[in-house]
Amino acid sequence: MHNRRTFLALAGVGALAAACGSNTGRQGTAPPSTAYSAGPPPSDAPKVTLQQWYHAYGEDGVQEAVKRYAASYPGASVNVQWNPGDYDSKIVTALQNSAVPDVFEAQVKIDWVRQNQVVSLDDVIAPVRNDFSPAVLAAQTVEGKVYGIPQAVDTQVLFYRKSLLQAAGVQPPQTVDELIDAAAKLTKDGVKGFFAGNDGGVAVLTGPLLWSAGLDYLKNGNREVGFDDPRAATALAKLHTLNANGSLLLGAPADWSDPGAFVDGLAAMQWTGLWNVPKIRQAFDDDFGVLPFPRLDATGAPSVPVGAYGAMVNAKSAHVAEAKAFVKWLWIDKTDDQLEFATKFGFHVPARQSLVGQANSLATGPAADAARFVRENGHLVGGPVWTQQSNTALSDAVAKIAKEGADPVEQTKTAVGVAQAELKRLFG
């Protein structure tokens, strides 16, 4: 089912998107926002009709909630369209050819901006811009301008069974080598040590492995390749070690985004989404913990990938001003609805830092730990300038390293070359 968790895999090599870096320290009530000039029309003016698109969230209640939000908007008639299936391709096609939808959720791509397909929302977000951490906004920012208002944040973390680690004399791993050793020691009695997807971790661990070494997809304002460094090959080679030593669960009935392998006792540790906390808690009560992906070594850093769809406005819309006013009303002004959207129907972190403290579901235990990881260790996977061509090249390289034992230096060099060519295409 296409849902929020799918969004976190869209980059192919990991969890797409926006990350929380520094914390503003503000908790409690969200800051007030100032009036926006394209506000609701006078009561005697005819209302325009706006078309708003969402992908098909898998959680019960989301569709009804967003329709309720739209119906309560005083400034326009808003028709919500639910889009099962390949939503992302549908958005790409719509932006090229159509004035519909007026408002939609996505993560901006630089090509959309270059082709004048989306509208800058700097004026909409300005009053509360600092309530979003810089890295959350980075997922919606191209060349300094914001094109999407982040809606809710998802992340992935390392879940582990406390009792199984204690029985094996294993401490929660703090480095990649400790993770490899722990996975080996926990592999016994029909239980594998670690599950990170049926592809052996290629899709979801590429970003965390780069970050573990203190590297990234891009650097220097997204103008240079961020993994053109010998440490990248060293980090990515660790995934081959995990795949080759028999400690990874492969061929699980459900993939990494589902907690089934962990809940059913097939693996002692699993890399999966924060959204699975309720099911895991139901299965194990307090017998689990969560960690960020560990650092490679003393000069690296722990990490979690963080994703957030943003509300965006179609530049071809016949009602751009009205669409911007609606986006401001829903995703800037209506903080109660924003909190509900993030926390009532699934297990997500509010995009606004001032709302995190109001989320009861994130107040204690592993959920509170994960919210802290988002704030302190969050990273953007790729981002608006990281293109599909670059992504495919890196993903192919990591798959060959992990599954075939291909030379990590040569494979990394090949991916660097493709990414450099893409940056040259974009920036000259």
Side-chain angles (χ1 to χ4, degrees):
M1 183 175 292
H2 193 80
N3 53 30
R4 297 187 204 214
R5 69 197 59 175
T6 311
F7 167 63
L8 276 166
L10 291 180
V13 292
L16 189 61
C20 298
S22 60
N23 177 21
T24 64
R26 284 185 289 181
Q27 299 293 341
T29 304
S33 54
T34 60
Y36 175 60
S37 58
S43 58
D44 58 345
K47 290 185 178 180
V48 303
T49 297
L50 301 175
Q51 307 294 330
Q52 182 185 25
W53 283 12
Y54 291 89
H55 79 286
Y57 288 85
E59 296 127 338
D60 293 339
V62 181
Q63 184 175 9
E64 292 76 13
V66 297
K67 287 184 175 180
R68 170 165 45 84
Y69 306 155
S72 68
Y73 179 54
S77 297
V78 182
N79 293 332
V80 171
Q81 180 170 313
W82 210 240
N83 291 278
D86 189 355
Y87 172 79
D88 302 284
S89 294
K90 189 171 184 179
I91 282 294
V92 169
T93 301
L95 290 179
Q96 290 171 346
N97 304 309
S98 174
V100 175
D102 302 280
V103 177
F104 62 97
E105 60 176 9
Q107 178 180 291
V108 70
K109 296 296 181 187
I110 190 172
D111 287 334
W112 299 357
V113 174
R114 292 282 177 87
Q115 295 161 19
N116 296 314
Q117 294 174 342
V118 289
V119 174
S120 167
L121 301 177
D122 284 335
D123 48 356
V124 173
I125 203 172
V128 296
R129 184 172 183 137
N130 290 338
D131 201 21
F132 299 90
S133 73
V136 165
L137 282 185
Q140 301 295 352
T141 302
V142 172
E143 296 176 334
K145 292 186 176 182
V146 176
Y147 291 87
I149 309 299
Q151 298 175 169
V153 173
D154 279 323
T155 192
Q156 301 161 22
V157 293
L158 179 64
F159 286 83
Y160 65 93
R161 285 284 302 281
K162 293 178 180 178
S163 58
L164 294 181
L165 268 67
Q166 289 168 355
V170 171
Q171 294 296 315
Q174 303 300 312
T175 68
V176 176
D177 284 343
E178 288 179 9
L179 174 64
I180 293 170
D181 292 344
K185 290 177 181 176
L186 291 164
T187 299
K188 57 183 178 180
D189 302 327
V191 178
K192 291 289 189 177
F194 185 31
F195 180 53
N198 286 323
D199 65 355
V202 172
V204 291
L205 296 186
T206 296
L209 283 163
L210 292 179
W211 303 323
S212 79
L215 305 176
D216 213 333
Y217 291 83
L218 299 169
K219 65 181 181 181
N220 291 343
N222 294 326
R223 298 302 180 98
E224 293 181 34
V225 177
F227 55 96
D228 187 8
D229 185 294
R231 285 172 62 79
T234 301
L236 296 174
K238 301 293 185 181
L239 195 56
H240 175 64
T241 304
L242 274 169
N243 273 270
N245 68 10
S247 62
L248 278 189
L249 174 64
L250 301 170
D255 213 344
W256 67 270
S257 65
D258 187 281
F262 188 64
V263 168
D264 293 341
L266 302 180
M269 300 183 292
Q270 181 175 336
W271 183 259
T272 188
L274 180 65
W275 53 82
N276 289 321
V277 164
K279 289 182 179 178
I280 292 172
R281 180 176 288 141
Q282 184 177 11
F284 299 133
D285 195 19
D286 292 330
D287 184 24
F288 74 98
V290 296
L291 293 168
F293 192 82
R295 65 185 188 275
L296 180 65
D297 50 33
T299 59
S303 65
V304 294
V306 188
Y309 264 146
M312 305 181 72
V313 173
N314 185 351
K316 292 188 178 70
S317 166
H319 308 292
V320 167
E322 293 88 348
K324 290 174 68 174
F326 171 63
V327 167
K328 176 191 176 294
W329 175 84
L330 181 54
W331 296 111
I332 302 296
D333 298 342
K334 298 285 285 182
T335 51
D336 287 351
D337 289 342
Q338 294 159 33
L339 185 62
E340 178 188 74
F341 181 79
T343 62
K344 183 174 180 179
F345 312 104
F347 215 82
H348 315 278
V349 178
R352 301 273 288 277
Q353 294 184 92
S354 59
L355 295 180
V356 175
Q358 298 181 36
N360 293 334
S361 58
L362 303 175
T364 59
D369 292 338
R372 177 168 53 83
F373 303 155
V374 165
R375 186 176 70 244
E376 297 178 357
N377 310 117
H379 285 268
L380 172 65
V381 174
V385 177
W386 182 250
T387 67
Q388 186 59 52
Q389 290 88 336
S390 298
N391 197 66
T392 298
L394 181 57
S395 184
D396 288 349
V398 175
K400 290 175 182 176
I401 294 166
K403 310 300 286 187
E404 301 170 17
D407 181 354
V409 173
E410 290 301 315
Q411 293 298 322
T412 303
K413 185 183 298 184
T414 299
V416 166
V418 173
Q420 286 174 335
E422 280 295 281
L423 292 174
K424 186 174 182 181
R425 175 180 70 83
L426 291 170
F427 298 112

